[in-house]
């Protein structure tokens, strides 16, 4: 069924609904997608049977780690590399390094980096692209290898047993929103103080 004009009319949409309701395969597919979700409903089980999970090499790596609802995948993957080596070197049954420990120092370093930039860029207009970029999202979770390497060079690593996950690290979205708001408030205070002629020594204190 094609629309008579370029716009969607109620008649056209009613026709689509009627045509869909008369198509048994469409109704079955819709019910499956609604109840199971599209990925599961669309899974080709015959294709899965042709991909058996049989491996010739099994690596002893300990229990599965879980980043929960956070963007800490880069910390988990990098620490799992170190963890695998430690499990084998010291013949451990299981062991996990603290992702939350580095997560904390990553937030601390990012916050300091953001505020340092705010102090350096007081000549930039607030509505300019650079300031808008910095203020849009001062804090996030994502990272990469060089950030991980710099964190462990400076702060080291600790076992997860001495620095476990918290509600904020497991579900970091709300924490990031709060911290971003706080950093924007701090940025406003720093910028206003510098533009008012306050010395950098006082501003930094």
């Amino acid at each position: 069924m094609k629309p008579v004009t370029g716009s969607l009319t109620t008649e056209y949409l009613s026709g689509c609904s009627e045509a869909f309701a008369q198509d048994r395969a469409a109704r079955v597919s819709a019910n499956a997608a609604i109840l199971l979700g599209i990925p599961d409903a669309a899974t080709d089980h015959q294709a899965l049977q042709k991909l058996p999970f049989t491996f010739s090499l099994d690596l002893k790596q300990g229990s599965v780690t879980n980043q929960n609802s956070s963007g800490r995948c880069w910390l988990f993957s990098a620490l799992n590399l170190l963890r695998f080596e430690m499990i084998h070197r010291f013949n451990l049954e299981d062991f996990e390094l603290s992702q939350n420990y580095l997560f904390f120092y990553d937030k601390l370093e990012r916050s300091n980096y953001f505020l340092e930039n705010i102090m350096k860029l007081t000549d930039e207009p607030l509505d300019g692209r650079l300031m808008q970029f910095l203020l849009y999202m001062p804090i996030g979770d994502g990272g990469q290898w060089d950030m991980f390497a710099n964190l462990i060079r400076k702060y080291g690593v600790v076992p997860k047993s001495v620095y476990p996950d918290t509600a904020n690290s497991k579900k970091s979205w709300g924490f990031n929103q709060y911290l971003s708001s706080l950093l924007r408030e701090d940025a406003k205070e720093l910028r206003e103080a510098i533009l008012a002629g306050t010395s950098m020594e006082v501003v930094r204190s």
Side-chain angles (χ1 to χ4, degrees):
M1 165 171 252
K2 296 181 180 179
V4 178
T5 65
S7 60
L8 296 173
T9 63
T10 54
E11 290 81 6
Y12 169 70
L13 294 176
S14 295
C16 289
S17 295
E18 290 174 10
F20 187 88
Q22 292 170 10
D23 186 335
R24 183 175 181 276
R27 296 198 311 272
V28 171
S29 298
N31 287 333
I34 291 168
L35 292 173
L36 302 174
I38 291 175
D40 286 339
T43 298
D44 185 341
H45 290 279
Q46 289 183 339
L48 286 179
Q49 291 173 358
K50 297 176 183 178
L51 295 170
F53 282 87
T54 302
F55 303 96
S56 59
L57 183 63
D58 188 16
L59 300 177
K60 178 184 175 183
Q61 59 186 14
S63 57
V64 175
T65 57
N66 186 358
Q67 72 182 70
N68 293 283
S69 298
S70 69
R72 298 176 293 161
C73 52
W74 59 291
L75 290 173
F76 274 76
S77 59
L79 286 174
N80 278 339
L81 285 174
L82 301 184
R83 167 199 191 209
F84 178 79
E85 178 66 26
M86 294 180 76
I87 285 175
H88 284 266
R89 181 177 296 185
F90 300 108
N91 195 28
L92 303 172
E93 279 299 315
D94 199 6
F95 179 73
E96 189 171 350
L97 291 163
S98 174
Q99 302 86 11
N100 194 26
Y101 174 78
L102 292 181
F103 184 67
F104 170 81
Y105 283 110
D106 178 58
K107 295 298 186 208
L108 189 65
E109 290 286 350
R110 288 185 200 228
S111 297
N112 184 63
Y113 176 77
F114 170 77
L115 296 175
E116 284 291 330
N117 275 314
I118 292 297
M119 289 189 290
K120 290 176 185 175
L121 299 171
T122 50
D123 292 337
E124 291 286 332
L126 273 178
D127 58 356
R129 293 182 68 181
L130 180 56
M131 291 303 298
Q132 288 297 303
F133 173 78
L134 287 172
L135 293 168
Y136 173 69
M137 188 182 291
I139 284 289
D141 283 354
Q144 60 223 22
W145 175 257
D146 57 324
M147 295 165 65
F148 170 79
N150 287 329
L151 284 171
I152 63 170
R153 281 195 189 100
K154 187 170 182 178
Y155 299 106
V157 292
V158 299
K160 191 169 186 176
S161 58
V162 299
Y163 206 106
D165 267 341
T166 64
N168 290 313
S169 62
K170 290 179 181 178
K171 191 174 181 181
S172 58
W173 182 85
F175 173 70
N176 286 334
Q177 290 290 105
Y178 174 79
L179 186 52
S180 291
S181 295
L182 182 61
L183 287 170
R184 291 188 194 104
E185 290 179 18
D186 293 340
K188 180 176 182 292
E189 290 184 22
L190 290 173
R191 185 180 173 92
E192 289 177 347
I194 292 171
L195 291 175
T198 308
S199 71
M200 288 301 294
E201 183 181 356
V202 173
V203 170
R204 283 188 179 282
S205 68

